[in-house]
């Protein structure tokens, strides 16, 4: 029973990401899963209910990935940690099915879910910001970052990854890879001091 529910959510994630909420039907989801449409109602009350659960799973997946990354970081290496966070963002953008839905609901949020999507987005940004503040505080204590406040540090990183998010939407993998390397090179030069301990 639970396996079927998870399979429905996995297929729905894929189809919602590819086609959007409005253009994905429960009948199509059922067909991809290999069940009859009424069987979906054993697990979800409606298409809206299914979409909300898929969104919730999406944000849990994102937050979990970033929390795990934080645990893997070496606290004494703030510059390496900010690069690690950047690479994680880029890697997930290029390799996960969640990223396709994340992009779609960010650029084209279905109207009934606009507020919910914004809540999820803000929650994810708060988690990311918390990790960034920790990295910043260590970098400042080591004199590795210069001439920027914590708010500027957080905002600049979020703007950097927002730009990457948009770039990935328009360019081939090869061009995208070159662009993120260029963006990182300039970003790192802008925040890192050579006077660190």
């Amino acid at each position: 029973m639970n396996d079927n529910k998870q399979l429905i959510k996995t297929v729905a994630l894929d189809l919602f990401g590819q086609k959007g909420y409005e253009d994905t039907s429960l009948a199509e989801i059922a067909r991809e899963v290999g069940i009859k449409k009424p069987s979906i109602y054993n697990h979800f009350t409606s298409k809206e209910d299914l979409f909300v659960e898929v969104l919730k799973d999406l944000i849990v997946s994102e937050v979990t990935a970033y929390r795990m990354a934080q645990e893997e970081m070496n606290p004494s290496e703030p510059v390496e940690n900010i690069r690690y966070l950047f690479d994680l963002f880029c890697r997930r953008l290029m390799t996960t099915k969640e990223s396709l839905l994340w992009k779609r609901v960010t650029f084209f949020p279905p109207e009934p879910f606009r507020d919910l999507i914004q809540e999820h987005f803000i929650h994810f940004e708060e988690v990311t910001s918390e990790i960034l503040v920790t990295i910043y505080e260590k970098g400042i204590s080591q004199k590795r970052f210069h001439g920027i406040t914590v708010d500027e540090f957080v905002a600049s990183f979020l703007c950097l990854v927002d730009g990457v998010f948009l770039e990935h939407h328009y360019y081939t993998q090869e061009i995208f890879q070159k662009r993120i390397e260029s963006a990182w090179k300039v970003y790192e030069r802008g925040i890192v001091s050579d006077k660190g301990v």
Side-chain angles (χ1 to χ4, degrees):
M1 197 73 133
N2 284 339
D3 287 348
N4 240 12
K5 181 175 183 178
Q6 187 55 53
L7 184 55
I8 291 166
K9 288 198 289 184
T10 300
V11 168
L13 168 70
D14 201 14
L15 289 174
F16 287 144
Q18 288 178 40
K19 302 178 68 175
Y21 173 76
E22 293 89 348
D23 292 330
T24 300
S25 68
L26 287 181
E28 188 176 8
I29 293 168
R31 189 167 55 251
E32 288 291 319
V33 173
I35 59 176
K36 301 287 187 187
K37 178 182 168 182
S39 299
I40 290 180
Y41 295 108
N42 292 332
H43 307 285
F44 305 97
T45 58
S46 61
K47 183 172 132 177
E48 291 84 354
D49 180 38
L50 172 57
F51 187 72
V52 167
E53 282 219 31
V54 168
L55 274 180
K56 185 171 70 176
D57 288 354
L58 167 65
I59 199 65
V60 167
S61 174
E62 292 299 303
V63 167
T64 300
Y66 279 74
R67 287 295 188 203
M68 286 175 63
Q70 185 179 24
E71 289 175 13
E72 292 166 3
M73 290 175 184
N74 179 346
S76 64
E77 300 289 350
V79 178
E80 287 76 4
N81 289 342
I82 194 73
R83 176 65 201 242
Y84 187 71
L85 208 60
F86 179 72
D87 286 345
L88 172 66
F89 180 89
C90 295
R91 186 170 64 252
R92 288 187 65 77
L93 192 58
M94 291 186 284
T95 61
T96 68
K97 286 188 175 182
E98 286 91 346
S99 71
L100 189 58
L101 180 58
W102 199 221
K103 275 195 291 187
R104 184 173 283 279
V105 300
T106 301
F107 293 139
F108 313 107
E111 194 55 47
F113 305 101
R114 187 177 291 272
D115 290 345
L116 179 63
I117 290 164
Q118 186 173 11
E119 282 174 30
H120 285 321
F121 181 82
I122 289 170
H123 173 60
F124 176 64
E125 190 171 280
E126 286 171 347
V127 170
T128 310
S129 297
E130 180 190 317
I131 297 169
L132 289 167
V133 168
T134 303
I135 294 171
Y136 173 84
E137 288 172 348
K138 190 64 180 181
I140 286 294
S141 73
Q142 293 181 355
K143 298 182 172 57
R144 295 303 314 278
F145 302 138
H146 64 87
I148 46 176
T149 66
V150 64
D151 289 341
E152 290 167 339
F153 182 80
V154 171
S156 66
F157 183 84
L158 294 178
C159 284
L160 174 67
V161 294
D162 282 348
V164 166
F165 194 65
L166 186 62
E167 293 278 302
H168 186 256
H169 188 69
Y170 290 108
Y171 296 103
T172 65
Q173 290 295 97
E174 184 181 355
I175 294 172
F176 176 68
Q177 196 65 50
K178 288 177 182 174
R179 284 177 172 247
I180 61 177
E181 286 306 322
S182 298
W184 174 260
K185 182 178 180 181
V186 174
Y187 179 76
E188 184 180 29
R189 286 183 180 181
I191 64 167
V192 175
S193 169
D194 295 328
K195 300 174 184 174
V197 294

